[in-house]
Amino acid sequence: MTEQDPTRESPTPTGLDALIHHRRSVRAFSSRPVSRDTILSLCEAARWAPSACNSQTWRFIAVTEKETIQRICREAMRPVIPNKWLVQAPLLMVGCSQLDIIANRIGGRITGIEYYRIDLGIAMEHMVLKAVELGLGTCWIGWFREDRIREILDIPERVWVSALLAIGYPKDAPPRKRGRKPLDAILHSERWGKRFLSGE
Ligand SMILES: Cc1cc2nc3c(=O)[nH]c(=O)nc-3n(C[C@H](O)[C@H](O)[C@H](O)COP(=O)(O)O)c2cc1C
């Protein structure tokens, strides 16, 4: 019996594999609004994410007002890749971190690791996968002006904005799947430099 090549994708992934494989960054949305219950389901998925010391530093702002999304699009995106497509999104989830939580601050000061950013990333990716399950499309936005988002949404000093997530029902067929590095290029075995798959 030949060993299955673990780098090959299964033709019909199921369960979590299916969600992971079907997710794409969606940048064109229909006008269908995202309901209040759906927003709650997305945030419930985020709420159960792990976090350093269970400090749950994440906070979210669900922005659905068209004028606010238009203003963010106009004033808070960065040049070169101005993310103009965001204007169509019926929901913008603004990912924030509450920085004055003691457990998180002490740990991070000792290790130099910004745990609150890791926590937020995990929680928002929970949201992304839940969105796929609910038939929604999402796209992360990291190319924005933190100071402008802060001003537009009245975010206080002790709260940090790390990521935005555009969410809505996809307008078109799913975008083309973007490539990924092969497993052998990203997975080392036992120590840095020894490839897990080829052993070289
Ligand atoms: C932290 C982060 C920031 C991102 N920022 C942007 C962005 O500002 N604009 C954008 O169009 N896509 C952005 N993306 C989406 C990536 O371009 C996308 O995930 C990548 O090209 C892979 O494509 P896929 O998500 O369809 O697999 C971001 C993704 C992440 C995780």
Side-chain angles (χ1 to χ4, degrees), residues 51-53 55-57 98-109 113-117 119:
S51 62
C53 295
S55 53
Q56 303 165 66
T57 45
Q98 180 93 35
L99 293 186
D100 53 3
I101 293 176
I102 285 293
N104 193 278
R105 276 177 54 188
I106 293 176
R109 207 166 286 168
I113 298 170
E114 293 181 326
Y115 295 108
Y116 64 90
R117 290 193 196 271
D119 297 344

PDB file of all heavy atoms in Angstrom, residues 51-53 55-57 98-109 113-117 119:
ATOM      1  N   SER A  51      -7.274  32.482  25.010  1.00  0.00           N
ATOM      2  CA  SER A  51      -6.504  33.734  25.135  1.00  0.00           C
ATOM      3  C   SER A  51      -5.499  33.572  26.265  1.00  0.00           C
ATOM      4  O   SER A  51      -5.724  32.785  27.187  1.00  0.00           O
ATOM      5  CB  SER A  51      -7.433  34.920  25.420  1.00  0.00           C
ATOM      6  OG  SER A  51      -8.111  34.729  26.642  1.00  0.00           O
ATOM      7  N   ALA A  52      -4.412  34.301  26.174  1.00  0.00           N
ATOM      8  CA  ALA A  52      -3.354  34.195  27.188  1.00  0.00           C
ATOM      9  C   ALA A  52      -3.938  34.522  28.562  1.00  0.00           C
ATOM     10  O   ALA A  52      -4.584  35.559  28.729  1.00  0.00           O
ATOM     11  CB  ALA A  52      -2.227  35.161  26.838  1.00  0.00           C
ATOM     12  N   CYS A  53      -3.719  33.631  29.531  1.00  0.00           N
ATOM     13  CA  CYS A  53      -4.270  33.783  30.904  1.00  0.00           C
ATOM     14  C   CYS A  53      -5.785  33.924  30.893  1.00  0.00           C
ATOM     15  O   CYS A  53      -6.350  34.491  31.826  1.00  0.00           O
ATOM     16  CB  CYS A  53      -3.681  34.993  31.617  1.00  0.00           C
ATOM     17  SG  CYS A  53      -1.944  34.870  31.926  1.00  0.00           S
ATOM     18  N   SER A  55      -7.391  36.020  29.467  1.00  0.00           N
ATOM     19  CA  SER A  55      -7.642  37.440  29.770  1.00  0.00           C
ATOM     20  C   SER A  55      -8.668  38.071  28.827  1.00  0.00           C
ATOM     21  O   SER A  55      -9.182  39.146  29.112  1.00  0.00           O
ATOM     22  CB  SER A  55      -6.334  38.229  29.753  1.00  0.00           C
ATOM     23  OG  SER A  55      -5.664  38.001  28.541  1.00  0.00           O
ATOM     24  N   GLN A  56      -8.968  37.415  27.708  1.00  0.00           N
ATOM     25  CA  GLN A  56     -10.076  37.843  26.824  1.00  0.00           C
ATOM     26  C   GLN A  56     -10.045  39.349  26.551  1.00  0.00           C
ATOM     27  O   GLN A  56     -11.028  40.062  26.740  1.00  0.00           O
ATOM     28  CB  GLN A  56     -11.423  37.443  27.464  1.00  0.00           C
ATOM     29  CG  GLN A  56     -11.513  35.952  27.737  1.00  0.00           C
ATOM     30  CD  GLN A  56     -12.639  35.578  28.677  1.00  0.00           C
ATOM     31  OE1 GLN A  56     -13.812  35.749  28.336  1.00  0.00           O
ATOM     32  NE2 GLN A  56     -12.302  35.056  29.855  1.00  0.00           N
ATOM     33  N   THR A  57      -8.894  39.777  26.103  1.00  0.00           N
ATOM     34  CA  THR A  57      -8.685  41.214  25.884  1.00  0.00           C
ATOM     35  C   THR A  57      -9.439  41.742  24.659  1.00  0.00           C
ATOM     36  O   THR A  57      -9.499  42.940  24.445  1.00  0.00           O
ATOM     37  CB  THR A  57      -7.185  41.498  25.691  1.00  0.00           C
ATOM     38  OG1 THR A  57      -6.664  40.518  24.804  1.00  0.00           O
ATOM     39  CG2 THR A  57      -6.437  41.430  26.998  1.00  0.00           C
ATOM     40  N   GLN A  98      -8.465  45.437  24.679  1.00  0.00           N
ATOM     41  CA  GLN A  98      -8.500  46.236  25.915  1.00  0.00           C
ATOM     42  C   GLN A  98      -7.137  46.053  26.586  1.00  0.00           C
ATOM     43  O   GLN A  98      -6.805  44.955  27.039  1.00  0.00           O
ATOM     44  CB  GLN A  98      -9.619  45.684  26.801  1.00  0.00           C
ATOM     45  CG  GLN A  98      -9.800  46.373  28.112  1.00  0.00           C
ATOM     46  CD  GLN A  98     -10.835  47.489  28.040  1.00  0.00           C
ATOM     47  OE1 GLN A  98     -11.819  47.372  27.325  1.00  0.00           O
ATOM     48  NE2 GLN A  98     -10.599  48.543  28.773  1.00  0.00           N
ATOM     49  N   LEU A  99      -6.354  47.113  26.620  1.00  0.00           N
ATOM     50  CA  LEU A  99      -4.951  46.955  27.032  1.00  0.00           C
ATOM     51  C   LEU A  99      -4.714  47.094  28.528  1.00  0.00           C
ATOM     52  O   LEU A  99      -3.620  46.828  29.000  1.00  0.00           O
ATOM     53  CB  LEU A  99      -4.077  47.981  26.302  1.00  0.00           C
ATOM     54  CG  LEU A  99      -3.969  47.760  24.794  1.00  0.00           C
ATOM     55  CD1 LEU A  99      -2.990  48.728  24.189  1.00  0.00           C
ATOM     56  CD2 LEU A  99      -3.544  46.337  24.475  1.00  0.00           C
ATOM     57  N   ASP A 100      -5.721  47.504  29.284  1.00  0.00           N
ATOM     58  CA  ASP A 100      -5.472  47.711  30.713  1.00  0.00           C
ATOM     59  C   ASP A 100      -5.886  46.508  31.559  1.00  0.00           C
ATOM     60  O   ASP A 100      -6.240  46.637  32.713  1.00  0.00           O
ATOM     61  CB  ASP A 100      -6.151  48.994  31.201  1.00  0.00           C
ATOM     62  CG  ASP A 100      -7.636  49.023  30.846  1.00  0.00           C
ATOM     63  OD1 ASP A 100      -8.132  48.026  30.288  1.00  0.00           O
ATOM     64  OD2 ASP A 100      -8.274  50.039  31.112  1.00  0.00           O
ATOM     65  N   ILE A 101      -5.824  45.302  30.962  1.00  0.00           N
ATOM     66  CA  ILE A 101      -6.115  44.090  31.733  1.00  0.00           C
ATOM     67  C   ILE A 101      -4.784  43.589  32.298  1.00  0.00           C
ATOM     68  O   ILE A 101      -3.853  43.262  31.551  1.00  0.00           O
ATOM     69  CB  ILE A 101      -6.824  43.039  30.852  1.00  0.00           C
ATOM     70  CG1 ILE A 101      -8.212  43.578  30.486  1.00  0.00           C
ATOM     71  CG2 ILE A 101      -6.928  41.693  31.561  1.00  0.00           C
ATOM     72  CD1 ILE A 101      -9.008  42.728  29.542  1.00  0.00           C
ATOM     73  N   ILE A 102      -4.698  43.558  33.624  1.00  0.00           N
ATOM     74  CA  ILE A 102      -3.429  43.355  34.319  1.00  0.00           C
ATOM     75  C   ILE A 102      -2.712  42.073  33.886  1.00  0.00           C
ATOM     76  O   ILE A 102      -1.531  42.082  33.546  1.00  0.00           O
ATOM     77  CB  ILE A 102      -3.683  43.356  35.858  1.00  0.00           C
ATOM     78  CG1 ILE A 102      -3.925  44.796  36.311  1.00  0.00           C
ATOM     79  CG2 ILE A 102      -2.547  42.724  36.641  1.00  0.00           C
ATOM     80  CD1 ILE A 102      -2.723  45.717  36.202  1.00  0.00           C
ATOM     81  N   ALA A 103      -3.440  40.932  33.868  1.00  0.00           N
ATOM     82  CA  ALA A 103      -2.799  39.642  33.567  1.00  0.00           C
ATOM     83  C   ALA A 103      -2.091  39.708  32.220  1.00  0.00           C
ATOM     84  O   ALA A 103      -0.960  39.237  32.070  1.00  0.00           O
ATOM     85  CB  ALA A 103      -3.855  38.537  33.548  1.00  0.00           C
ATOM     86  N   ASN A 104      -2.732  40.320  31.263  1.00  0.00           N
ATOM     87  CA  ASN A 104      -2.167  40.391  29.922  1.00  0.00           C
ATOM     88  C   ASN A 104      -0.949  41.305  29.892  1.00  0.00           C
ATOM     89  O   ASN A 104       0.064  41.006  29.268  1.00  0.00           O
ATOM     90  CB  ASN A 104      -3.247  40.887  28.967  1.00  0.00           C
ATOM     91  CG  ASN A 104      -2.860  40.699  27.528  1.00  0.00           C
ATOM     92  OD1 ASN A 104      -2.134  41.511  26.971  1.00  0.00           O
ATOM     93  ND2 ASN A 104      -3.309  39.613  26.942  1.00  0.00           N
ATOM     94  N   ARG A 105      -1.039  42.415  30.610  1.00  0.00           N
ATOM     95  CA  ARG A 105       0.068  43.376  30.568  1.00  0.00           C
ATOM     96  C   ARG A 105       1.316  42.836  31.246  1.00  0.00           C
ATOM     97  O   ARG A 105       2.424  42.983  30.745  1.00  0.00           O
ATOM     98  CB  ARG A 105      -0.361  44.679  31.247  1.00  0.00           C
ATOM     99  CG  ARG A 105      -1.119  45.559  30.281  1.00  0.00           C
ATOM    100  CD  ARG A 105      -1.620  46.793  30.921  1.00  0.00           C
ATOM    101  NE  ARG A 105      -0.583  47.560  31.605  1.00  0.00           N
ATOM    102  CZ  ARG A 105      -0.845  48.614  32.366  1.00  0.00           C
ATOM    103  NH1 ARG A 105      -2.075  48.998  32.539  1.00  0.00           N
ATOM    104  NH2 ARG A 105       0.127  49.276  32.945  1.00  0.00           N
ATOM    105  N   ILE A 106       1.138  42.180  32.411  1.00  0.00           N
ATOM    106  CA  ILE A 106       2.303  41.679  33.153  1.00  0.00           C
ATOM    107  C   ILE A 106       3.011  40.606  32.328  1.00  0.00           C
ATOM    108  O   ILE A 106       4.212  40.666  32.102  1.00  0.00           O
ATOM    109  CB  ILE A 106       1.880  41.119  34.538  1.00  0.00           C
ATOM    110  CG1 ILE A 106       1.389  42.273  35.400  1.00  0.00           C
ATOM    111  CG2 ILE A 106       3.041  40.394  35.210  1.00  0.00           C
ATOM    112  CD1 ILE A 106       0.862  41.849  36.756  1.00  0.00           C
ATOM    113  N   GLY A 107       2.238  39.628  31.830  1.00  0.00           N
ATOM    114  CA  GLY A 107       2.834  38.541  31.034  1.00  0.00           C
ATOM    115  C   GLY A 107       3.599  39.092  29.847  1.00  0.00           C
ATOM    116  O   GLY A 107       4.737  38.713  29.591  1.00  0.00           O
ATOM    117  N   GLY A 108       2.978  40.007  29.143  1.00  0.00           N
ATOM    118  CA  GLY A 108       3.596  40.571  27.940  1.00  0.00           C
ATOM    119  C   GLY A 108       4.847  41.370  28.247  1.00  0.00           C
ATOM    120  O   GLY A 108       5.803  41.364  27.473  1.00  0.00           O
ATOM    121  N   ARG A 109       4.854  42.035  29.398  1.00  0.00           N
ATOM    122  CA  ARG A 109       6.026  42.834  29.752  1.00  0.00           C
ATOM    123  C   ARG A 109       7.213  41.915  30.045  1.00  0.00           C
ATOM    124  O   ARG A 109       8.351  42.222  29.722  1.00  0.00           O
ATOM    125  CB  ARG A 109       5.703  43.706  30.970  1.00  0.00           C
ATOM    126  CG  ARG A 109       6.538  44.957  30.982  1.00  0.00           C
ATOM    127  CD  ARG A 109       6.009  45.977  31.953  1.00  0.00           C
ATOM    128  NE  ARG A 109       4.800  46.635  31.501  1.00  0.00           N
ATOM    129  CZ  ARG A 109       4.036  47.390  32.280  1.00  0.00           C
ATOM    130  NH1 ARG A 109       4.325  47.550  33.550  1.00  0.00           N
ATOM    131  NH2 ARG A 109       2.985  47.986  31.790  1.00  0.00           N
ATOM    132  N   ILE A 113       6.147  39.372  24.420  1.00  0.00           N
ATOM    133  CA  ILE A 113       5.176  38.899  23.416  1.00  0.00           C
ATOM    134  C   ILE A 113       3.874  39.682  23.575  1.00  0.00           C
ATOM    135  O   ILE A 113       3.353  39.800  24.685  1.00  0.00           O
ATOM    136  CB  ILE A 113       4.907  37.385  23.586  1.00  0.00           C
ATOM    137  CG1 ILE A 113       6.201  36.594  23.375  1.00  0.00           C
ATOM    138  CG2 ILE A 113       3.826  36.914  22.630  1.00  0.00           C
ATOM    139  CD1 ILE A 113       6.099  35.120  23.747  1.00  0.00           C
ATOM    140  N   GLU A 114       3.373  40.220  22.484  1.00  0.00           N
ATOM    141  CA  GLU A 114       2.123  40.996  22.563  1.00  0.00           C
ATOM    142  C   GLU A 114       0.937  40.036  22.474  1.00  0.00           C
ATOM    143  O   GLU A 114       0.338  39.850  21.415  1.00  0.00           O
ATOM    144  CB  GLU A 114       2.101  42.047  21.449  1.00  0.00           C
ATOM    145  CG  GLU A 114       3.168  43.098  21.670  1.00  0.00           C
ATOM    146  CD  GLU A 114       3.178  44.181  20.606  1.00  0.00           C
ATOM    147  OE1 GLU A 114       2.884  43.866  19.428  1.00  0.00           O
ATOM    148  OE2 GLU A 114       3.489  45.321  20.951  1.00  0.00           O
ATOM    149  N   TYR A 115       0.633  39.443  23.617  1.00  0.00           N
ATOM    150  CA  TYR A 115      -0.396  38.400  23.639  1.00  0.00           C
ATOM    151  C   TYR A 115      -1.752  38.908  23.132  1.00  0.00           C
ATOM    152  O   TYR A 115      -2.511  38.156  22.539  1.00  0.00           O
ATOM    153  CB  TYR A 115      -0.566  37.853  25.063  1.00  0.00           C
ATOM    154  CG  TYR A 115       0.656  37.137  25.570  1.00  0.00           C
ATOM    155  CD1 TYR A 115       1.468  37.683  26.554  1.00  0.00           C
ATOM    156  CD2 TYR A 115       1.018  35.900  25.037  1.00  0.00           C
ATOM    157  CE1 TYR A 115       2.596  37.029  26.997  1.00  0.00           C
ATOM    158  CE2 TYR A 115       2.149  35.232  25.475  1.00  0.00           C
ATOM    159  CZ  TYR A 115       2.937  35.801  26.453  1.00  0.00           C
ATOM    160  OH  TYR A 115       4.060  35.161  26.876  1.00  0.00           O
ATOM    161  N   TYR A 116      -2.047  40.154  23.402  1.00  0.00           N
ATOM    162  CA  TYR A 116      -3.376  40.663  23.025  1.00  0.00           C
ATOM    163  C   TYR A 116      -3.568  40.616  21.513  1.00  0.00           C
ATOM    164  O   TYR A 116      -4.689  40.420  21.032  1.00  0.00           O
ATOM    165  CB  TYR A 116      -3.599  42.073  23.584  1.00  0.00           C
ATOM    166  CG  TYR A 116      -2.671  43.129  23.029  1.00  0.00           C
ATOM    167  CD1 TYR A 116      -3.011  43.844  21.901  1.00  0.00           C
ATOM    168  CD2 TYR A 116      -1.448  43.385  23.640  1.00  0.00           C
ATOM    169  CE1 TYR A 116      -2.163  44.804  21.391  1.00  0.00           C
ATOM    170  CE2 TYR A 116      -0.593  44.351  23.138  1.00  0.00           C
ATOM    171  CZ  TYR A 116      -0.944  45.051  22.008  1.00  0.00           C
ATOM    172  OH  TYR A 116      -0.100  45.986  21.495  1.00  0.00           O
ATOM    173  N   ARG A 117      -2.477  40.760  20.767  1.00  0.00           N
ATOM    174  CA  ARG A 117      -2.612  40.678  19.305  1.00  0.00           C
ATOM    175  C   ARG A 117      -2.884  39.234  18.868  1.00  0.00           C
ATOM    176  O   ARG A 117      -3.656  38.981  17.953  1.00  0.00           O
ATOM    177  CB  ARG A 117      -1.347  41.180  18.617  1.00  0.00           C
ATOM    178  CG  ARG A 117      -1.139  42.675  18.742  1.00  0.00           C
ATOM    179  CD  ARG A 117      -0.055  43.113  17.779  1.00  0.00           C
ATOM    180  NE  ARG A 117       0.451  44.423  18.094  1.00  0.00           N
ATOM    181  CZ  ARG A 117      -0.065  45.559  17.607  1.00  0.00           C
ATOM    182  NH1 ARG A 117      -1.089  45.513  16.801  1.00  0.00           N
ATOM    183  NH2 ARG A 117       0.463  46.715  17.931  1.00  0.00           N
ATOM    184  N   ASP A 119      -4.293  36.939  20.748  1.00  0.00           N
ATOM    185  CA  ASP A 119      -5.670  36.633  21.196  1.00  0.00           C
ATOM    186  C   ASP A 119      -6.706  37.150  20.193  1.00  0.00           C
ATOM    187  O   ASP A 119      -7.650  36.447  19.832  1.00  0.00           O
ATOM    188  CB  ASP A 119      -5.949  37.293  22.559  1.00  0.00           C
ATOM    189  CG  ASP A 119      -5.057  36.769  23.676  1.00  0.00           C
ATOM    190  OD1 ASP A 119      -4.440  35.708  23.495  1.00  0.00           O
ATOM    191  OD2 ASP A 119      -4.973  37.429  24.729  1.00  0.00           O
TER     192      ASP A 119
END
